[in-house]
Amino acid sequence: MGTQNQPISLQRLQHVEKRIVRVVELAGSVMDELANSTGPRNEAVANHCREFMQSIKEIQMTLREEIKSACEYRPFEKCDYSARISNEICCMKLEYIIEQLDGMKQTIDQCKDGD
């Protein structure tokens, strides 16, 4: 399936996944700089940290939007499940009422036969 056929949400989540990988790489780069035997290069550490923080903000914003979008999604909105269950319950109630009426009719018939 090509990316043009994928839903926008899936594409955005795949972009977030790539950003997370980049964030981990940035953290590793900072650790390498801090472990450098000649001492860390302040400019490199500052650049990595700046990109790290920007990426984290983008990831948070995108995930927040995707979560909000997912919460607004109503998969069963057009489903007829509740209507079908309601109809089944009504049918069961009617069957019960018919049984009760049949029982009452038998009792009435027995009373008439006894007279």
Side-chain angles (χ1 to χ4, degrees):
M1 176 190 292
T3 56
Q4 61 268 32
N5 296 333
Q6 293 176 340
I8 299 288
S9 182
L10 184 58
Q11 289 176 7
R12 288 174 53 125
L13 291 174
Q14 286 175 337
H15 178 71
V16 165
E17 183 180 18
K18 290 175 185 174
R19 296 300 296 175
I20 290 171
V21 169
R22 178 65 185 144
V23 161
V24 172
E25 289 173 350
L26 286 168
S29 297
V30 169
M31 294 303 292
D32 286 342
E33 280 295 326
L34 293 175
N36 192 345
S37 61
T38 61
R41 296 175 297 166
N42 291 338
E43 188 176 320
V45 171
N47 287 337
H48 290 324
C49 288
R50 208 175 357 269
E51 186 179 347
F52 178 90
M53 291 307 294
Q54 184 60 39
S55 294
I56 291 293
K57 287 178 186 177
E58 289 175 15
I59 290 167
Q60 286 177 330
M61 185 176 65
T62 303
L63 289 178
R64 203 174 286 126
E65 290 171 6
E66 289 303 315
I67 290 169
K68 181 180 175 190
S69 174
C71 290
E72 291 171 355
Y73 178 63
R74 305 281 186 247
F76 301 111
E77 192 171 87
K78 296 180 182 177
C79 179
D80 66 343
Y81 176 78
S82 61
R84 285 188 296 123
I85 292 300
S86 178
N87 285 340
E88 285 183 35
I89 291 171
C90 287
C91 287
M92 293 170 103
K93 287 179 181 178
L94 285 173
E95 288 173 7
Y96 178 75
I97 290 171
I98 289 171
E99 287 175 13
Q100 295 298 313
L101 289 173
D102 285 344
M104 292 168 77
K105 184 179 183 294
Q106 286 177 353
T107 303
I108 291 171
D109 288 344
Q110 288 173 355
C111 288
K112 285 183 182 177
D113 290 343
D115 287 339

